[in-house]
Amino acid sequence: MNREMYRDLTPIVSHKLEGKFRESIESGVVCKLDLSSVAFGASLMVNSTKVEERRLRDMDGFFHDQEAYNGADKQELVYRTYYFNFDGMSCAITEMFPGSIGNEFYLTKGHFHEPPEMSEIYIFLRGHGVSVMQNRSKKKPVLIAPLMQGTVVFSPPFYGHRTVNIGRDVLSWISIFNTKARLNYEPIVKEGFRALIVEKDGRATFTMNTSHI
Ligand code: PA5
Ligand code: MN
């Protein structure tokens, strides 16, 4: 992996979860696939049942620096998600563009699932990013996983999840989840995420969100 790029993103991980992942330094990362082509992702997109676009105008309140957000061009496309529903199982492909608001990198809104115990698997196809996962219980540590092509991440039951593009190119991934899972944005709108992924001295790093309730 590109260790240099992720040097400042040493994750915080609970001992209990640590054992579940192959490399504890990469919390949430289940394994690495050797993806020589992203063609299968592209072919899936053709038959999507729904496409959702998020422009900056759709993301008021999700970035930490409200002043920088207010000054940004609200037409900018941040990400686009293609959804596919099968019997009992759904998947989505998201393409996220590079960019930042203030010092905070472009991010997905992030959500919890409802029912909250429904988990999710992510397979990263392209780009460089970070996954931030947090439990509703404030006592559990935030999980921060570095992402690149071939990274597979497991978002555990009861964890809200957000993906951040820290690279200069598109970050894209497939997510697989239970069709019955509804997406609950409410806690993120109210409380935000506990960790922010920001640029500092030309590098990606995380900082704790002091305004998190
Ligand atoms: O199910 C997921 O977690 C993803 O497919 C996301 O829905 C997708 O990346 C868009 O993110 P959000 O729903 O937080 O806007
Ligand atoms: Mn989800």
Side-chain angles (χ1 to χ4, degrees):
M1 76 176 269
N2 188 345
R3 294 213 173 263
E4 185 58 16
M5 185 156 194
Y6 295 107
R7 197 191 57 188
D8 299 332
L9 283 162
T10 311
I12 312 164
V13 61
S14 74
H15 292 305
K16 197 169 161 218
L17 278 170
E18 208 170 280
K20 293 196 178 185
F21 304 122
R22 190 173 294 175
E23 297 172 82
S24 62
I25 184 81
E26 297 172 27
S27 59
V29 176
V30 179
C31 65
K32 295 284 173 58
L33 300 176
D34 181 12
L35 294 182
S36 49
S37 157
V38 297
F40 75 100
S43 64
L44 262 177
M45 280 179 199
V46 175
N47 298 311
S48 60
T49 44
K50 184 177 92 173
V51 183
E52 199 154 59
E53 281 190 352
R54 303 257 200 244
R55 293 183 184 271
L56 275 178
R57 62 166 183 250
D58 307 314
M59 300 190 70
D60 196 2
F62 286 88
F63 289 94
H64 188 58
D65 186 341
Q66 189 65 34
E67 212 178 303
Y69 174 82
N70 292 342
D73 175 3
K74 304 296 182 301
Q75 292 306 321
E76 279 285 305
L77 181 60
V78 184
Y79 56 102
R80 189 185 279 129
T81 304
Y82 302 78
Y83 289 94
F84 312 86
N85 293 321
F86 306 105
D87 282 343
M89 210 162 78
S90 290
C91 82
I93 298 183
T94 302
E95 288 185 311
M96 178 185 252
F97 296 93
S100 54
I101 294 294
N103 65 351
E104 192 176 15
F105 291 103
Y106 272 8
L107 40 78
T108 60
K109 287 185 173 185
H111 57 254
F112 284 82
H113 288 167
E114 206 49 58
E117 61 271 27
M118 287 187 169
S119 54
E120 183 158 356
I121 295 272
Y122 292 95
I123 302 167
F124 286 83
L125 303 172
R126 179 179 169 198
H128 291 93
V130 176
S131 178
V132 182
M133 297 175 274
Q134 74 181 28
N135 196 289
R136 282 308 292 274
S137 156
K138 314 258 180 327
K139 291 188 195 116
K140 306 229 176 188
V142 180
L143 305 176
I144 297 175
L147 316 167
M148 66 195 69
Q149 187 181 66
T151 304
V152 180
V153 165
F154 173 59
S155 179
F158 301 101
Y159 274 73
H161 34 261
R162 158 175 287 170
T163 309
V164 183
N165 186 356
I166 65 166
R168 292 202 181 95
D169 299 314
V170 168
L171 176 71
S172 73
W173 66 93
I174 295 184
S175 49
I176 303 160
F177 50 97
N178 191 314
T179 298
K180 291 196 179 120
R182 279 169 289 118
L183 311 187
N184 179 9
Y185 297 93
E186 224 25 57
I188 312 301
V189 174
K190 275 199 196 134
E191 305 177 359
F193 270 78
R194 279 155 64 204
L196 308 174
I197 308 299
V198 296
E199 187 258 311
K200 194 174 171 228
D201 303 328
R203 315 186 63 88
T205 188
F206 75 86
T207 168
M208 297 321 278
N209 182 0
T210 48
S211 55
H212 185 273
I213 305 165

